[in-house]
Amino acid sequence: MTATHTWRTYEGSNLSPALASALNTFVEQGYHGTSVRQIAAGAGLSVPGLYHHFPSKQALLVGIMDASMDELLERTRSAENEAGSSPIDRFDAVVESLLLFHIHRRDAAFVCSTEIRSLDSANRAAYIAKRDEEQRLLDAIVLDGVESGVFDTPHPADASRAVTTMCVGLATWYRPDGPMAPGELVAVYLDIARRTVGAVNGIRE
């Protein structure tokens, strides 16, 4: 994703057939309710063929979560870099990127949120480190906005987390056949996000 604004573009799945099958089954049945045999069948593989690429069901879950967080971090950094130096422009871009990711990658985002409990301790720590890295990117923008007078929230860290939580929550309820198209939903939630950090005067038409 190097061309301008490609962080806004989503074209199909970014997962291998094995990971895509695991994702679909985890969404439908949960991690603990899914068998490796089901995942292999969904990917058109034998069980030994699946194990050749992923030695365990845990490795499949880690693969989904790593791919999801790596993609989100890449899109977030790209959005912020293209936005320039203004805190409000960086904030808008990063929040839009978060919203779009949780709309277009909602199944992966849902599994990341609900199945973190199914990771073993080392894998959980590695995932949380990436999640925290994503949060720190937005935290820094909000703090820059407060320090420059663009945002007036007295609680920048809490406001930043609230915005992220709102964006992540889309994955639990958004449906493509719902009443709002992605662009309309982004506009509404971006307005809410700006107000959360006290950027009402910075809202642009």
Side-chain angles (χ1 to χ4, degrees), residues 27-28 46-48 52 63 83 87 106 130 134 142 176 180 186:
V27 169
E28 293 175 0
S46 65
V47 171
H52 177 72
R106 62 192 178 279
K130 288 186 177 182
E134 173 71 26
V142 175
M180 286 193 291
V186 166

Side-chain angles (χ1 to χ4, degrees), residues 37-184:
R37 187 172 300 279
Q38 288 174 308
I39 295 170
L45 297 169
S46 65
V47 171
L50 180 65
Y51 278 135
H52 177 72
H53 299 286
F54 297 94
S56 66
K57 188 169 69 170
Q58 179 79 183
L60 288 157
L61 181 59
V62 170
I64 292 168
M65 291 187 161
D66 278 348
S68 299
M69 284 308 307
D70 289 346
E71 181 183 9
L72 177 58
L73 282 163
E74 182 182 357
R75 288 179 181 275
T76 298
R77 293 188 186 105
S78 178
E80 182 177 7
N81 288 339
E82 288 182 15
S85 60
S86 163
I88 186 66
D89 290 340
R90 289 158 56 212
F91 180 82
D92 284 359
V94 167
V95 172
E96 181 182 353
S97 181
L98 274 167
L99 291 166
L100 290 174
F101 183 87
H102 287 87
I103 290 170
H104 294 289
R105 298 283 190 248
R106 62 192 178 279
D107 284 351
F110 175 77
V111 166
C112 286
S113 294
T114 60
E115 297 296 353
I116 187 173
R117 61 192 174 183
S118 301
L119 292 170
D120 64 32
S121 57
N123 290 327
R124 186 182 303 115
Y127 173 77
I128 289 172
K130 288 186 177 182
R131 189 184 66 184
D132 289 349
E133 182 180 356
E134 173 71 26
Q135 183 63 56
R136 286 194 296 270
L137 293 172
L138 186 61
D139 290 348
I141 294 170
V142 175
L143 188 58
D144 285 350
V146 170
E147 291 176 347
S148 65
V150 177
F151 305 149
D152 66 4
T153 174
H155 309 290
D158 294 304
S160 180
R161 281 192 294 269
V163 169
T164 298
T165 300
M166 177 184 71
C167 295
V168 171
L170 286 181
T172 66
W173 62 264
Y174 173 78
R175 295 293 180 270
D177 59 354
M180 286 193 291
E184 296 173 311

